[in-house]
Amino acid sequence: MKVRTRFAPSPTGYMHIGNLRTALYAYLFAKHEGGDFILRIEDTDRARYVADAVEFIEKTLAAAKIIPDEGPHHGGNFGPYVQSERMDIYKKYAEQLVEMGHAYREETENGVAIRQKMPKTGETTFFDVLHGNITIANAELEDQVLLKSDGMPTYNFANVIDDHLMEITHIIRGAEFITSTPKHVLLYEFFGWELPTFIHLAPVMGKAEDGTVSKLSKRHGATSFNDLVEMGYLPEVITNYVALLGWNPKTNQEIFSMQELIDAFSLDGLSKSPAVFDYNKLDWMSGEYFKAMTDEEFAAVADKFFGELNANLAQKKIYLASLLKSRVTKLSEIPAMIKFLMEMPPFDAELFVNKRNKVTVANSIEIISPAIKILEGVDDWTFENLSEKISAYIESSGMKTGTIMWPLRIALSGQKITPGGVVEILYLLGRETALERLTRAVGALQNLSD
RNA sequence: GGCGCUAUCGUCAAGUGGUUAAGACACCGCCCUUUCACGGCGGGUUCGUGGGUUCAAAUCCCGCUAGCGUCACCA
């Protein structure tokens, strides 16, 4: 039988990382098995409906490269794929249950609801791939509502009807559904339907500043796929990282393309215990992706984080990208990293003083001044020429490289840390700006010592 | 509270009766170095707890504890 899995979100306009992971695993499993992945919208709660949420979900899945074979806008022979468009189907089955004596009508002030009649004794057992057999006493089960008084089905009813009708073979969903699964199983039994295979995933947790761990939520920072994209993590990094949060390939490989994930995915690599979302590891992985990119590729994804570049920098984008790509863990760090190129930070004499490199305010002047003379002689402002002149200067000065470079970097950038060394910054700034900054620094230092 | 699920370094985790208990991130130290980064080397009382079973337990069983989930006309 062909494997068919589904992702069945409610249209809330928000794609939580945990939901994304559930969708990913359902997709990976289906694709690994050569099966189908179905997107179904569970919009039976009219109070929670969010406009355009379906499009939002579809866009998010597309960005994550999780591509449904069937869905509201993906075609398929088992539609409609939106539950609010299937009301007559649920009504039919609910009434069938009433006739069979497994459900009953209930009059309320808002109308008529239909409730499932639970056995009072005995227990219900179902098999879960991760957890094995799970048994719950029927006495724990309430007579749950199947059809609400507004005619809409509840989740517990609709998902059973749809999973059966859509021929879903493997139900991959969050562990929060474990205790309601016996109700579903009873429904399958009432109808005489074959049971699908259940796989209940452990939740994704977040760690708060006080060290406590709880289900990933807003207080842990970004919690949705889209938040992370906005922070400058590549969609493929997010899926790669999330795939490994609760699943392991049994090898030491950590960087996976979507195709590699599909090839490697297996249910027995899934963890039963909750996993804590770790930004450190995400950052590391993100950096690995950037380092693996060409300068051009990095420049393309980084482009919108460059902001308004002046004419000089705009033509050096690729070069700038080459310096940045090995130092960035998420693209949103870029503006702060390159700001000094556009605008010199306020003068701070303290920065010139560096014990390790034996640099003081006084010798800074003596180091920078000759450099200005030398650089003024460079007409063809290329990286090679600049590198050659600076090297020659260091050699003739008899001083250590660090001693020369330190004050130059501070004078050029106003900061201790820069993307790239002095020569790189010299080149990026361009002749005019570089000389102007050096000259101005010497002036400021002299004022200080006078 | 009842019921259910879970429990290996700070985090992700391998491990399925006999291992020096992998690997990765993070952290710390050292080296390299033109800062940062990169790279290299090294480091850390890790199997929640108490009982069993066994020649032998991180691995199997039971209790306890803790965390999480669930008890809706939400999904």
Side-chain angles (χ1 to χ4, degrees):
Chain A
M1 188 159 71
K2 192 177 199 185
V3 165
R4 287 170 60 82
T5 63
R6 46 66 162 182
F7 176 52
S10 54
T12 59
Y14 186 78
M15 182 69 83
H16 186 92
I17 285 300
N19 287 134
L20 179 85
R21 192 191 61 169
T22 302
L24 214 213
Y25 289 163
Y27 174 73
L28 293 177
F29 179 65
K31 293 296 115 183
H32 181 87
E33 299 295 329
D36 295 327
F37 171 70
I38 289 95
L39 171 63
R40 182 175 75 223
I41 304 299
E42 309 222 330
D43 61 342
T44 55
D45 184 356
R46 295 194 312 199
R48 286 216 299 186
Y49 182 77
V50 176
D52 299 328
V54 175
E55 288 68 23
F56 176 84
I57 289 166
E58 288 170 341
K59 263 192 229 163
T60 302
L61 290 178
K65 299 278 195 327
I66 297 171
I67 304 152
D69 294 291
E70 299 169 23
H73 298 99
H74 294 86
N77 300 321
F78 297 83
Y81 293 92
V82 176
Q83 290 185 330
S84 59
E85 296 169 20
R86 302 169 63 82
M87 290 174 67
D88 50 333
I89 298 173
Y90 308 121
K91 185 166 191 278
K92 185 183 108 190
Y93 284 101
E95 274 167 5
Q96 197 178 318
L97 282 176
V98 172
E99 280 169 35
M100 293 190 290
H102 291 306
Y104 56 88
R105 281 176 225 282
E106 180 185 53
E107 299 271 352
T108 69
E109 46 189 55
N110 298 319
V112 180
I114 294 182
R115 278 185 189 272
Q116 179 180 356
K117 195 189 287 177
M118 299 296 177
K120 297 274 184 288
T121 58
E123 51 192 25
T124 298
T125 297
F126 67 95
F127 179 76
D128 180 284
V129 173
L130 257 57
H131 303 99
N133 282 133
I134 294 176
T135 299
I136 290 177
N138 292 334
E140 295 290 325
L141 278 24
E142 303 263 323
D143 282 3
Q144 65 173 342
V145 169
L146 265 20
L147 224 50
K148 303 184 236 181
S149 53
D150 65 0
M152 281 287 186
T154 57
Y155 165 83
N156 287 309
F157 186 52
N159 94 85
V160 169
I161 302 299
D162 288 345
D163 285 338
H164 174 258
L165 260 21
M166 294 181 183
E167 297 179 11
I168 301 303
T169 58
H170 298 258
I171 296 182
I172 299 177
R173 69 201 340 176
E176 65 269 27
F177 294 110
I178 287 179
T179 45
S180 53
T181 301
K183 299 173 186 173
H184 308 161
V185 170
L186 251 15
L187 251 14
Y188 278 95
E189 287 174 358
F190 291 159
F191 285 116
W193 293 340
E194 191 184 345
L195 232 43
T197 300
F198 293 102
I199 297 124
H200 287 97
L201 268 15
V204 175
M205 315 291 276
K207 192 179 218 171
E209 284 184 24
D210 62 6
T212 57
V213 167
S214 55
K215 202 165 176 179
L216 188 66
S217 67
K218 302 263 190 197
R219 72 192 192 113
H220 302 117
T223 59
S224 79
F225 178 83
N226 307 276
D227 290 341
L228 294 173
V229 170
E230 271 173 35
M231 285 167 75
Y233 293 104
L234 301 173
E236 51 268 48
V237 169
I238 303 169
T239 43
N240 189 161
Y241 175 69
V242 163
L244 263 24
L245 249 196
W247 172 78
N248 83 81
K250 313 274 183 179
T251 65
N252 284 336
Q253 182 178 351
E254 302 212 73
I255 305 297
F256 285 88
S257 66
M258 183 59 92
Q259 188 56 51
E260 289 174 319
L261 285 174
I262 290 170
D263 293 340
F265 192 79
S266 161
L267 294 180
D268 60 37
L270 289 172
S271 317
K272 305 194 270 190
S273 47
V276 177
F277 191 93
D278 181 8
Y279 280 95
N280 279 327
K281 186 113 187 198
L282 212 215
D283 282 347
W284 165 78
M285 188 176 281
S286 179
E288 293 298 299
Y289 271 74
F290 290 147
K291 279 174 221 163
M293 292 175 123
T294 64
D295 297 343
E296 288 75 14
E297 285 166 343
F298 183 76
V301 297
D303 199 59
K304 66 178 166 192
F305 291 87
F306 281 161
E308 291 280 312
L309 294 179
N310 58 34
N312 165 53
L313 287 169
Q315 67 184 40
K316 291 171 180 161
K317 263 187 194 175
I318 303 297
Y319 182 72
L320 184 56
S322 75
L323 296 179
L324 253 19
K325 75 173 185 182
S326 65
R327 296 160 216 267
V328 165
T329 61
K330 50 182 171 290
L331 299 172
S332 57
E333 295 167 347
I334 292 177
M337 288 175 89
I338 66 174
K339 188 168 182 231
F340 78 97
L341 292 169
M342 302 283 290
E343 174 187 338
M344 185 66 186
F347 178 78
D348 179 359
E350 282 301 306
L351 293 178
F352 285 89
V353 181
N354 183 274
K355 201 174 167 190
R356 182 168 177 269
N357 289 310
K358 300 192 176 67
V359 180
T360 62
V361 167
N363 73 3
S364 287
I365 301 171
E366 291 157 25
I367 289 164
I368 300 170
S369 298
I372 295 174
K373 294 254 162 31
I374 292 166
L375 292 170
E376 277 172 341
V378 179
D379 292 323
D380 192 10
W381 199 262
T382 62
F383 180 84
E384 290 72 21
N385 284 346
L386 293 166
S387 179
E388 196 181 306
K389 295 293 182 196
I390 295 289
S391 297
Y393 170 45
I394 292 169
E395 202 164 325
S396 67
S397 74
M399 284 185 267
K400 294 190 120 182
T401 306
T403 309
I404 301 285
M405 293 300 197
W406 184 270
L408 288 177
R409 177 182 304 103
I410 301 299
L412 288 167
S413 70
Q415 53 197 43
K416 292 181 182 179
I417 300 167
T418 53
V422 166
V423 181
E424 285 85 351
I425 301 306
L426 235 22
Y427 171 70
L428 271 178
L429 251 20
R431 190 174 195 278
E432 191 185 340
T433 308
L435 287 171
E436 183 191 309
R437 288 190 180 186
L438 290 174
T439 306
R440 194 168 291 185
V442 171
L445 288 167
Q446 268 163 351
N447 278 343
L448 213 65
S449 49
D450 284 349

